[in-house]
Amino acid sequence: MTPREELENLAKLDQGMTPQTRGRKFEEWLNRLLAAEGMFPRTSFRPAGEEIDGSFMHEGRFHLVEAKWWKDQVPASAIYQFKGKVDGKLVGTIGIFISMAEYSPDAVDALRVGKNLNVLLFDRDDVFAAATHGFGNVLRHKLRLAAELGEVFVPYVATIKPSDKPLTVVVEGMRDELFIRGIAENLLSRGIKTRRLTVIQSQGSMGLANVALAASESRVGPVVIFTDLASAAEQLPDAVMYVAGRLEGVIAGPWSERWLGFASKREAKSTMRPNELRVRAAQIDIEELTEKDNHFQKLVRLLSD
């Protein structure tokens, strides 16, 4: 079983575990990953008056690590506490804080404005990327940007490039586009290469068919219509469905309800800012939703290289 498969199995069993069991199994998985990459991990140890989850060696330097799998967001206090441990060690020591839960905004900002940047943050997507591409590769990316930009929290997805195979997606508006791009980021973070996307907004469901037909004539590669309205596919003219070899068809979500769990599309628009929507789409459980929803399965298939 690959490290990613082990992590996915652990994530699926998450709800049935106590926090202590979940945390212990996560630390065990992480130590196996680090050991497999020759990083000489050391499990939990207790210097005088404190406890540290572990340490490891990367490219000749030792790093301290804190690994958490909590239900709630990681507060600033947890980051401060770990940073205090790192501050008291050899000059140049770097701390790696790993969390399978989200970080609170104030926790990240607190590190960014600190005078001494010696802690880097890994989130859930970074952990899955490490399971796929190697912990060392993800860490190297983060260390470089921390040195060049002073940034302690940079997603590894930024280093994974889409393929050269094009795909044009015609959507109704901005929020549909943000959702599509969030799903593409989600796939990249899991090591799944996506097509080179062009997203065209038709500014309403009435223009979907004509915009898609025009795109199929002028674009290289397949064209797909994506809409949040389940009834839109029935309203589109039959001509859309048989542009020979160019139009993949229609995917009718509706993503705001079935895929993001809102009571209605109206609620999604009124309670979620655009950037939050993209982030939430990037955090969807791809594997679980693919198994449950044929429309989502088709979307993932089309976006993937």
Side-chain angles (χ1 to χ4, degrees):
M1 187 178 295
T2 67
R4 185 181 180 89
E5 289 171 337
E6 290 182 357
L7 184 61
E8 288 173 346
N9 286 340
L10 184 57
K12 290 178 181 178
L13 296 173
D14 176 21
Q15 299 302 320
M17 297 182 186
T18 65
Q20 293 78 13
T21 300
R22 181 178 58 213
R24 186 184 71 253
K25 288 186 175 297
F26 180 48
E27 288 183 18
E28 292 171 353
W29 173 86
L30 180 60
N31 280 326
R32 288 196 299 272
L33 181 69
L34 296 173
E37 295 187 36
M39 294 187 181
F40 303 101
R42 181 180 177 186
T43 55
S44 180
F45 56 96
R46 286 181 168 83
E50 63 184 19
E51 180 177 359
I52 296 175
D53 284 352
S55 65
F56 63 91
M57 185 181 74
H58 176 252
E59 297 182 344
R61 296 183 62 179
F62 285 94
H63 299 68
L64 301 183
V65 63
E66 190 91 356
K68 302 299 182 186
W69 194 326
W70 292 341
K71 180 180 179 181
D72 300 321
Q73 287 186 337
V74 176
S77 58
I79 306 295
Y80 288 145
Q81 185 178 21
F82 179 57
K83 188 179 187 317
K85 298 174 184 178
V86 178
D87 288 341
K89 303 302 181 291
L90 181 69
V91 173
T93 299
I94 301 296
I96 310 298
F97 197 106
I98 302 173
S99 173
M100 291 295 281
E102 295 180 352
Y103 294 99
S104 64
D106 60 329
V108 180
D109 289 343
L111 279 182
R112 284 172 173 153
V113 300
K115 294 181 180 180
N116 184 19
L117 299 180
N118 58 0
V119 173
L120 299 181
L121 303 180
F122 277 59
D123 66 2
R124 183 186 183 94
D125 289 341
D126 292 324
V127 175
F128 272 97
T132 305
H133 302 284
F135 190 92
N137 289 330
V138 177
L139 178 58
R140 192 176 299 111
H141 164 70
K142 287 176 169 288
L143 285 170
R144 180 163 193 164
L145 291 182
E148 294 176 349
L149 305 176
E151 179 54 68
V152 298
F153 189 34
V154 180
Y156 183 72
V157 65
T159 67
I160 307 172
K161 296 182 179 179
S163 74
D164 292 329
K165 297 178 182 177
L167 175 70
T168 299
V169 183
V170 179
V171 300
E172 293 178 62
M174 177 186 65
R175 289 177 178 269
D176 299 283
E177 176 173 353
L178 290 173
F179 178 82
I180 288 291
R181 295 198 181 279
I183 295 299
E185 291 174 7
N186 197 323
L187 292 169
L188 286 171
S189 72
R190 286 163 168 71
I192 303 172
K193 219 169 199 181
T194 64
R195 288 177 175 265
R196 177 167 48 85
L197 288 180
T198 298
V199 183
I200 303 174
Q201 298 179 25
S202 67
Q203 303 305 324
S205 60
M206 296 297 292
L208 283 169
N210 289 334
V211 172
L213 288 169
S216 69
E217 294 296 327
S218 60
R219 301 276 171 179
V220 175
V223 177
V224 62
I225 292 174
F226 176 79
T227 173
D228 192 21
L229 299 174
S231 59
E234 301 172 1
Q235 299 170 1
L236 295 172
D238 291 340
V240 169
M241 303 303 292
Y242 58 80
V243 181
R246 301 297 298 280
L247 189 69
E248 289 283 348
V250 179
I251 300 176
W255 54 260
S256 56
E257 296 161 83
R258 285 213 304 265
W259 299 349
L260 288 186
F262 286 97
S264 65
K265 186 175 182 179
R266 182 186 298 275
E267 182 189 15
K269 286 185 176 181
S270 62
T271 61
M272 181 164 287
R273 291 177 294 182
N275 286 341
E276 292 175 338
L277 190 155
R278 183 169 180 167
V279 170
R280 187 156 169 173
Q283 296 174 343
I284 283 178
D285 189 329
I286 293 285
E287 291 80 8
E288 180 179 355
L289 197 51
T290 298
E291 293 178 0
K292 293 181 178 179
D293 193 295
N294 291 334
H295 289 288
F296 188 79
Q297 184 181 77
K298 183 178 181 181
L299 176 64
V300 169
R301 177 179 62 80
L302 289 169
L303 292 177
S304 304
D305 179 12

